[in-house]
Amino acid sequence: MREAAIVLAAGAGTRMKSKKPKVLHEILGRPLVMWPIAALAEAGVDEVTVVTGPDDAAIQEAVSGTAGVAIQQEKLGTGDAAKAAMATEALKGFEGSVVVVYGDCPLITADTIRSLLDARAREDAGCVVLTFRAEDPFGYGRIVREDSFTEASPSGEVVAIVEQKDADEAHAAITECNSGFYCFDAAALRDALARITNDNAQGEYYLTDAIALLREDGRKVVALETACVEDCFGVNSRVQLAEAARIMQQRINRAHMEAGVTMLAPELVWIGPDVTLARDVEILQNVTLMGSTRIGEDSLIGPDSRLTDTVVGAGCTVDETVAVEAQLDDGATAGPRAYLRPGAHLCAGAKAGTHVEIKKSIIGAGSKVPHLSYIGDAMVGTGVNIGAGSITCNYDGAMKHATTIGDGAFIGSDTMMVAPVAIGRDVTVGAGSVITKDVPDEALAVARARESIYEGWTPRHRK
Ligand code: UD1
Ligand code: CA
């Protein structure tokens, strides 16, 4: 059976008090709306349509490439939003299952979505609705079952969902709540949506009214009670954004630990959903790993490090380092306090030490930049040592220029390499040199003012 999904995301999100649409606020580097979309993809849903308002160009752009878009002209309710989705080219004639989730509920999992789809197929239901029990159900739609008012623990088929504002005392006492996530039979949903009205306390078109209509049509409605209430958590405020982030952090870190990664303080480690960690990686406190970062076996990351879109090989040590789009091959080390900018590539066993900034440069195998250096637009060979305080002067105020340093070169401390410049293999550069001319292989280059000594100068001067 084909499977489609609708992600409702046309809400205003006023409680965020933000210029930005609510569903574009991020947790762990991923916008809220992209979390359910990722869960749907993981569950194997073929066709995802996101419902946005007409002015939500930023949301439409964020989801483009992963989902289609439906425009809901006015926010007339969840039923109207679903109708807008069902009217798109993608869903107009669609036959099969349609999952409905919310763009502001990032914690929904692929497993839960899968269980909704499987339950509908198994029971040939018009709808399967995901429900949860709440001690305080106030605010949620209540699940009314056939035996809701006759049994202490009702388990009958669902006959209706009643919204808080439309609930009488008996409805309000029901503790089983509507999560807002469903799996519908597409044709049955289309039929029901054509008939829902806004004749209710809020004057809205309720998607929840589709339930009673399906029942009138003789279709079965199944409630699937979730064991994991967190899955249904919705974000309406920045406080809830932080709560959702914390839950996601726990899920992600737990999964890594279960797969063989050590974190002794997982509450102080933030790892994005697309990061991959090999076995026996250890992550120390205050580490943030984001984007497509990958870490190889036995590497030690942290404390106090932030890696984004960075690839780290096996057996590396990364201490108090910020890295963006950088690469460390096996056995490389960075920090404490290194800054590896885009295109920084430490080859096997290479080192970027304390207060070292590297940009768009290859540091050859076993080469070391141990202290206080800036290396930009450079090709550094193997076995090179770059002394403390040395820098590539790669920018002349208008253009960037390249520096090359041959294998085995020894660059004395405080050397300025004024690019473009090429330093040959096994060259030695004297400390404090300003190198402006190419240096041939195996040469010694010294470019600094000669030292002058004036004996007995101090006492004379102080007189
Ligand atoms: C809805 C359900 C309620 C359920 C609750 C769970 C209805 C009528 N009620 O209530 O039974 O317990 O979710 O959280 O469906 N949206 C649109 N367009 C609209 C209105 C809403 O896209 O015109 C989107 C919102 O952005 C949001 C989602 O739909 O992501 C839910 O809307 P919201 O107004 O929060 O529904 P509730 O009143 O909370
Ligand atoms: Ca809500």
Side-chain angles (χ1 to χ4, degrees):
M1 199 183 329
R2 289 191 62 211
E3 296 166 345
I6 300 172
V7 180
L8 302 186
T14 43
R15 274 180 284 166
M16 297 297 280
K17 307 214 169 103
S18 177
K19 303 183 285 300
K20 192 158 69 173
K22 172 167 75 174
V23 298
L24 294 186
H25 284 261
E26 294 182 357
I27 60 178
L28 298 176
R30 181 189 271 176
L32 286 180
V33 68
M34 300 310 290
W35 286 94
I37 292 175
L40 288 161
E42 195 190 331
V45 173
D46 322 299
E47 181 78 58
V48 178
T49 300
V50 178
V51 181
T52 74
D55 302 323
D56 291 332
I59 303 175
Q60 292 155 20
E61 198 189 314
V63 305
S64 72
T66 55
V69 167
I71 307 290
Q72 185 189 16
Q73 290 304 335
E74 276 181 88
K75 287 166 191 123
L76 301 178
T78 49
D80 181 68
K83 210 190 248 181
M86 292 306 285
T88 58
E89 268 321 304
L91 291 179
K92 215 180 257 170
F94 182 83
E95 302 280 339
S97 290
V98 179
V99 173
V100 176
V101 294
Y102 296 160
D104 56 5
C105 294
L107 301 178
I108 185 76
T109 62
D111 283 351
T112 300
I113 291 165
R114 200 64 251 163
S115 60
L116 283 173
L117 285 157
D118 292 346
R120 201 193 82 71
R122 197 171 55 238
E123 313 252 357
D124 188 30
C127 177
V128 178
V129 52
L130 188 74
T131 71
F132 62 92
R133 303 263 166 194
E135 260 171 45
D136 176 15
F138 187 86
Y140 290 104
R142 304 301 207 287
I143 303 296
V144 185
R145 295 182 184 251
E146 275 165 338
D147 50 353
S148 278
F149 304 118
T150 54
E151 295 293 327
S153 42
S155 59
E157 266 191 52
V158 181
V159 291
I161 298 177
V162 175
E163 292 303 295
Q164 178 70 45
K165 289 193 173 130
D166 301 289
D168 60 23
E169 217 171 301
H171 291 131
I174 296 173
T175 56
E176 189 177 10
C177 299
N178 173 25
S179 67
F181 306 153
Y182 321 80
C183 179
F184 286 97
D185 171 51
L189 174 62
R190 206 176 283 120
D191 256 33
L193 289 175
R195 286 175 285 152
I196 58 171
T197 69
N198 62 354
D199 184 14
N200 53 52
Q202 301 185 78
E204 281 183 15
Y205 293 89
Y206 292 161
L207 179 55
T208 45
D209 281 356
I211 303 305
L213 290 167
L214 289 179
R215 281 297 301 237
E216 281 168 27
D217 295 345
R219 293 302 299 266
K220 193 169 175 183
V221 178
V222 175
L224 190 72
E225 191 184 326
T226 178
C228 184
V229 181
E230 281 175 358
D231 277 21
C232 310
F233 187 85
V235 172
N236 293 307
S237 66
R238 306 222 192 200
V239 171
Q240 290 172 335
L241 186 72
E243 282 167 17
R246 182 64 78 177
I247 295 168
M248 194 55 84
Q249 174 199 35
Q250 284 165 0
R251 284 185 184 176
I252 288 175
N253 289 357
R254 170 171 287 272
H256 285 302
M257 288 188 278
E258 282 169 356
V261 171
T262 296
M263 288 178 222
L264 297 183
E267 69 283 6
L268 299 177
V269 173
W270 297 88
I271 301 178
D274 299 320
V275 169
T276 56
L277 306 177
R279 270 191 329 179
D280 291 316
V281 163
E282 179 164 2
I283 314 283
L284 300 174
Q285 68 273 19
N286 300 326
V287 169
T288 302
L289 306 176
M290 287 293 145
S292 59
T293 294
R294 284 186 276 142
I295 314 285
E297 261 186 40
D298 300 318
S299 286
L300 176 66
I301 312 294
D304 305 304
S305 295
R306 202 164 76 228
L307 275 54
T308 304
D309 299 325
T310 288
V311 178
V312 177
C316 295
T317 303
V318 177
D319 181 6
E320 235 189 300
T321 287
V322 174
V324 181
E325 292 170 39
Q327 181 178 335
L328 284 77
D329 295 344
D330 296 352
T333 66
R337 299 191 197 141
Y339 182 22
L340 304 178
R341 291 169 51 203
H345 180 176
L346 304 182
C347 297
K351 170 176 180 157
T354 307
H355 295 289
V356 166
E357 175 177 340
I358 298 180
K359 183 217 80 166
K360 205 173 160 192
S361 294
I362 297 173
I363 310 300
S367 291
K368 293 183 170 38
V369 192
H371 335 269
L372 302 157
S373 284
Y374 169 66
I375 304 296
D377 304 299
M379 289 271 289
V380 177
T382 61
V384 170
N385 190 88
I386 298 186
S390 294
I391 64 176
T392 54
C393 310
N394 62 327
Y395 185 49
D396 60 14
M399 298 226 296
K400 300 280 167 62
H401 301 282
T403 300
T404 60
I405 302 176
D407 297 347
F410 179 90
I411 309 298
S413 295
D414 196 27
T415 294
M416 308 285 121
M417 290 161 275
V418 181
V421 71
I423 294 170
R425 171 181 57 77
D426 294 317
V427 159
T428 298
V429 175
S433 290
V434 178
I435 300 296
T436 55
K437 290 189 293 223
D438 290 356
V439 184
D441 292 350
E442 299 183 331
L444 165 69
V446 185
R448 63 185 182 218
R450 279 194 182 274
E451 184 171 299
S452 307
I453 307 282
Y454 303 92
E455 281 188 35
W457 184 87
T458 305
R460 282 202 304 279
H461 178 73
R462 285 186 184 162
K463 241 191 269 153

